[in-house]
Amino acid sequence: NLTAIASTPLVQSFGVGKAVIQLSLSANSLNSGMTYALQLSASYYATSNPVTAYAQVTLVINSPPVQGQLKVSPTHGISLSTSFYLNTFGWVDDASDYPISYTLSSFSYNVTASSLLKSLGILQYAYAYIGQGLSVRNYTVTCVATASDIYGCSDFVTSIIRVHPPTSTASLQSSMLNQLTLASETSNPDLTLQTSSATTSYLNAAVCSSAPN
């Protein structure tokens, strides 16, 4: 029913000469993986014997990669000390939508505050240092693997692990400096982001824990 999703008029009239008729549909109104046929009809207006012509176009709506999985090892560790191995696999899509690209990220309580662990690329795995979870959530952290096709259509899967804070501020400082040095020597921007995010998680948790009730 185009009437419900069209944001431009479905019936228009115009005079002699060329005319441009546009159809605009509301965002997210067509379902992924479906095929739609749109038909335009044009008739002479107010004639006793109108002649109508038709033109039709077929729209195939892209669908995201599906059936993916995410495995994280180990499932328990310490922030900035434990190197976690994240591997996403099993994704399938139409052959014309390949190659699939992947990002890996994590969050402790709010998906909008996710920390990037691996930038968008065709690699399906990464070793990552992950920021600690919140004590009130038993230090759980949600890891996210997002798969995107060449048109930017994406889906994601998650895996939950537990990341405890460093044993001390001195331990945090030592690990942070070691990882930043390694990131600089190996020109690894993802490791820089991981280290920065993990350090920020520790500092934010320390501030929150010392705040008055």
Side-chain angles (χ1 to χ4, degrees):
N1 183 2
L2 282 179
T3 304
I5 63 175
S7 54
T8 51
L10 295 179
V11 179
Q12 299 185 46
S13 299
F14 55 92
V16 178
K18 295 182 179 181
V20 176
I21 305 299
Q22 296 182 331
L23 174 65
S24 178
L25 303 179
S26 301
N28 303 314
S29 58
L30 303 180
N31 296 321
S32 63
M34 299 293 291
T35 300
Y36 297 86
L38 300 179
Q39 180 176 277
L40 170 70
S41 61
S43 303
Y44 286 112
Y45 180 69
T47 62
S48 58
N49 186 25
V51 176
T52 302
Y54 300 93
Q56 182 172 296
V57 63
T58 299
L59 298 180
V60 179
I61 307 303
N62 187 31
S63 56
V66 294
Q67 299 181 18
Q69 300 181 54
L70 173 62
K71 299 295 184 183
V72 184
S73 178
T75 57
H76 295 73
I78 297 175
S79 177
L80 277 179
S81 294
T82 304
S83 178
F84 293 89
Y85 177 67
L86 298 88
N87 183 28
T88 185
F89 55 92
W91 296 95
V92 295
D93 203 350
D94 295 331
S96 59
D97 293 352
Y98 282 82
I100 298 175
S101 298
Y102 309 89
T103 60
L104 297 169
S105 59
S106 67
F107 65 93
S108 58
Y109 66 95
N110 189 340
V111 66
T112 61
S114 295
S115 298
L116 185 65
L117 302 176
K118 188 191 84 68
S119 304
L120 183 67
I122 60 173
L123 283 180
Q124 298 174 245
Y125 62 89
Y127 289 93
Y129 293 93
I130 299 176
Q132 70 184 72
L134 298 175
S135 58
V136 294
R137 295 178 180 268
N138 202 20
Y139 298 105
T140 56
V141 173
T142 301
C143 297
V144 183
T146 303
S148 305
D149 63 21
I150 59 172
Y151 302 106
C153 195
S154 64
D155 200 2
F156 66 92
V157 290
T158 62
S159 181
I160 296 177
I161 61 174
R162 187 168 287 116
V163 185
H164 291 268
T167 55
S168 66
T169 303
S171 174
L172 167 73
Q173 184 177 19
S174 176
S175 298
M176 178 186 67
L177 292 175
N178 289 338
Q179 301 311 325
L180 289 177
T181 299
L182 179 60
S184 177
E185 293 174 346
T186 58
S187 300
N188 187 343
D190 286 341
L191 180 55
T192 301
L193 285 174
Q194 294 167 19
T195 305
S196 175
S197 297
T199 303
T200 301
S201 296
Y202 176 84
L203 296 175
N204 286 343
V207 169
C208 292
S209 63
S210 62
N213 294 328

